[in-house]
Amino acid sequence: MPLHPSSGDGGFSVIDPHAVDPAYGTWADIDRLAAQHAWMADAVVNHLSASSDWFCRFLAGEAPYDGYFATLDPGTDTSAVVRPRTSPLRHSFTRRDGSSIDVWTTFSADQVDLDYHSPEALLAMTEASLDLVGHGAAALRLDAIAFAWKDAATTSMSLPQTHALVRFWRACLEQVAPGLLLITETNVAHP
């Protein structure tokens, strides 16, 4: 399970990917654990909580957060998109200026999907993953990775761009933690 503060979904609605939920201790506690045991971190890379600071700043239109989350124009045909849940694929949110924006929500209204078309979003999640490795994670489980690249005209599942993301993270992480296990996880599609 993710060790970060969360607003729900069993910890998978991560509020801050750079923090440890106080219920689990502190980074110092994680460091002590890593000194005695190999541990695997759950890196939630597809989405963040709608309560996260990153998403609040996105809604405020602050750079670089204004490009961090995947949006959908109203009326976009998403019938080809494979779904792991039965909740709507998009939810409407109100921006600071009062306008509304539809955001891609693969799992729930509280889990807003990141947009890896944005180099800044990619860098931010890479840094969050490096935090986990820097605190001794011997393995990273990339939660819901198959859904990380969004393209409404496709299934948006395990696209070539998603595989490129995994290769990119593997190359980055290998530089700081040779031998790190990178484990990809995907929920099966809802029938």
Side-chain angles (χ1 to χ4, degrees), residues 25 38 67 83 135 175:
R83 300 301 317 289
H135 288 283
Q175 294 302 308

Side-chain angles (χ1 to χ4, degrees), residues 24 27 43 57 73 89 103 105 147 150 176:
Y24 301 131
W27 282 120
R57 295 173 113 182
D73 291 328
L89 179 62
V103 177
T105 54
F147 302 102
K150 315 299 186 242
V176 295

Side-chain angles (χ1 to χ4, degrees), residues 5 12 52 93 126 163:
F12 289 95
S52 70
F93 294 88
T126 302
H163 293 272

Side-chain angles (χ1 to χ4, degrees), residues 116-130:
Y116 288 110
H117 291 89
S118 163
E120 293 85 0
L122 175 59
L123 178 59
M125 286 310 291
T126 302
E127 290 172 346
S129 296
L130 286 167

Side-chain angles (χ1 to χ4, degrees), residues 78-84 89 106 147 154-157 188-190:
T78 60
S79 60
V81 176
V82 171
R83 300 301 317 289
L89 179 62
T106 298
F147 302 102
T154 72
T155 63
S156 286
M157 185 172 176
V188 293
H190 189 273

